[in-house]
Amino acid sequence: MSASVPASASEPASAAVPGPPPVPARASAPSSAELLDFVRRAAADTDLIASLPLDPEGRTWVRLEGPGGSEAWLIGWPPGTGTGWHDHAESVGAFTTAAGTLKEHSLAARLPTDGWKTLELTEGVDRERRLATGQGRAFGRNHVHEVLNESPAEHAVSVHAYYPPLPQIRRYSRTGDVLRLEHVERPEDWQ
Ligand SMILES: [Fe+2]
């Protein structure tokens, strides 16, 4: 997720609800561009977005049927909430803001995938982007980011899609330029 994906295992996910019509069956895996197209169409579906329960105390999410077997989520972000730093392993993905504004901090660097506990980031790898309602982005494998709703008052809603469905999420803490692997979540932790 992403994000963008559920941060904790404790909240039960609702049953999958239909998003926009899925792309017809096909032989090849969906690209990040196709996932971006999907999340944009889902974000424009006002009935779908309105169906997400919002909770001022914490993030909420509903799983959607993504295209081509992808994993998709509708996520609600109360003011001041965020994901913390994480990656999505080998999955590619996309997300877009459907209501409110989200901030993404990301790293323009390809990190070693395994075998390290702390990593000192080189200067200049930090990126920041503001995603207002209707704005989204796609990302490739091993994308490291955190997503935040910095608004003091406004809820945000976003749509996320990942392919292949997330095998794991690595979560990091960050102090200055040092990224530290804190733990690895697997699907059974958040479904
Ligand atoms: Fe994410």
Side-chain angles (χ1 to χ4, degrees):
M1 215 198 199
S2 110
S4 36
V5 295
S8 75
S10 56
E11 295 182 42
S14 303
V17 299
V23 175
R26 59 338 222 236
S28 61
S31 66
S32 59
E34 288 173 88
L35 297 179
L36 182 58
D37 178 64
F38 169 82
V39 296
R40 284 186 165 146
R41 286 186 294 121
D45 181 339
T46 50
D47 288 343
L48 175 68
I49 299 308
S51 74
L52 176 69
L54 300 181
D55 179 354
E57 299 300 319
R59 288 194 293 153
T60 50
W61 44 82
V62 171
R63 187 158 181 172
L64 306 177
E65 296 173 18
S70 59
E71 176 174 341
W73 294 92
L74 185 56
I75 300 180
W77 310 71
T81 54
T83 58
W85 286 92
H86 65 277
D87 70 18
H88 323 85
E90 300 296 305
S91 296
V92 301
F95 66 100
T96 193
T97 305
T101 298
L102 292 172
K103 173 76 66 72
E104 182 197 38
H105 297 144
S106 61
L107 301 178
R110 174 63 62 96
L111 305 184
T113 52
D114 276 309
W116 59 275
K117 177 76 178 171
T118 61
L119 195 66
E120 185 160 356
L121 301 171
T122 53
E123 213 170 302
V125 298
D126 283 294
R127 298 289 182 273
E128 179 179 298
R129 62 176 81 188
R130 182 177 175 275
L131 298 165
T133 300
Q135 294 183 317
R137 68 160 300 171
F139 55 81
R141 295 168 161 201
N142 301 306
H143 181 60
V144 182
H145 72 171
E146 66 171 348
V147 180
L148 313 155
N149 176 12
E150 293 183 329
S151 168
E154 193 182 10
H155 227 98
V157 176
S158 56
V159 186
H160 304 246
Y162 311 91
Y163 190 87
L166 294 170
Q168 64 178 26
I169 294 175
R170 282 182 288 250
R171 294 200 170 274
Y172 306 100
S173 61
R174 181 165 176 185
T175 307
D177 289 334
V178 176
L179 204 59
R180 171 185 291 270
L181 177 64
E182 295 292 349
H183 62 276
V184 178
E185 290 179 8
R186 299 192 184 278
E188 56 268 28
D189 297 329
W190 66 79
Q191 288 179 355

